[in-house]
């Protein structure tokens, strides 16, 4: 699989190999070789584990991290050409919050995640266009 952002021919397994990361530009994507049932089960349980017991408490640090990632992407593309952003795995919407703060109303942001509680929070508290579902089944 080639990187969708920079075209690199190398993608490295990340965490438990359900994700792949490009070593050239740090783009992360789902490992499509992993079955959909495995991914759905993993992410539905993700926000109920000890590992993320205080995900909301890390909002500020996550936004700083996401700002850096957005800057890396914007070095690869013309910022003015970005009119739509689709985030797969949006969780609570912190990246969407960063994107909309940086790129403003001229750009349409939409996020999708399989975990209902985080999606509902992002819709309600941040006013983001978030959808709960499987991005492979998105119309």
């Amino acid at each position: 699989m080639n990187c969708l952002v920079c075209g690199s021919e190398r993608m490295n397994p990340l965490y438990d190999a359900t994700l792949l990361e490009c070593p050239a530009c740090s783009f992360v994507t789902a490992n499509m070789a992993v079955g959909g049932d495995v991914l759905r089960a993993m992410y539905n349980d993700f926000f109920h584990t000890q590992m993320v017991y205080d995900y909301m408490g890390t909002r500020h640090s996550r936004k700083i991290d996401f700002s850096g990632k957005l800057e890396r992407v914007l070095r690869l593309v013309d910022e003015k050409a970005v009119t739509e952003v689709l985030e797969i795995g949006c969780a609570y919407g912190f990246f969407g919050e960063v994107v909309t703060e940086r790129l403003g109303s001229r750009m349409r942001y939409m996020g999708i995640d399989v975990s209902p509680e985080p999606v509902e929070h992002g819709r309600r508290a941040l006013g983001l266009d978030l959808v709960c579902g499987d991005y492979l089944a998105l119309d």
Side-chain angles (χ1 to χ4, degrees):
M1 171 180 176
N2 290 357
C3 177
L4 298 172
V5 174
C6 73
S8 172
E9 294 180 4
R10 186 169 158 223
M11 297 293 283
N12 296 331
L14 189 63
Y15 304 116
D16 57 2
T18 57
L19 300 175
L20 299 173
E21 180 178 33
C22 176
C25 72
S26 300
F27 174 70
V28 175
T29 187
N31 182 350
M32 299 310 294
V34 176
D37 290 340
V38 171
L39 288 175
R40 276 188 293 282
M42 184 183 79
Y43 285 107
N44 276 328
D45 293 338
F46 181 75
F47 292 103
H48 301 287
T49 66
Q50 282 286 23
M51 183 170 63
V52 292
Y53 74 96
D54 189 20
Y55 193 92
M56 291 298 296
T58 64
R59 177 180 178 194
H60 180 71
S61 62
R62 288 182 187 276
K63 285 183 67 177
I64 291 170
D65 180 53
F66 289 146
S67 292
K69 289 179 171 142
L70 179 59
E71 290 304 317
R72 281 189 292 220
V73 170
L74 293 176
R75 284 194 294 266
L76 298 170
V77 299
D78 177 8
E79 181 175 330
K80 292 179 179 130
V82 178
T83 59
E84 295 180 308
V85 173
L86 171 63
E87 180 185 11
I88 299 167
C90 63
Y92 287 87
F94 300 154
F95 180 71
E97 189 175 22
V98 167
V99 167
T100 55
E101 287 170 356
R102 169 66 193 268
L103 300 178
S105 61
R106 67 172 174 77
M107 176 273 322
R108 179 176 182 252
Y109 167 84
M110 182 182 159
I112 186 167
D113 200 287
V114 295
S115 301
E117 294 93 355
V119 166
E120 182 55 32
H121 167 83
R123 281 188 202 145
R124 185 179 30 78
L126 304 177
L128 294 172
D129 182 10
L130 304 182
V131 174
C132 185
D134 179 350
Y135 78 95
L136 294 175
L138 185 64
D139 289 332

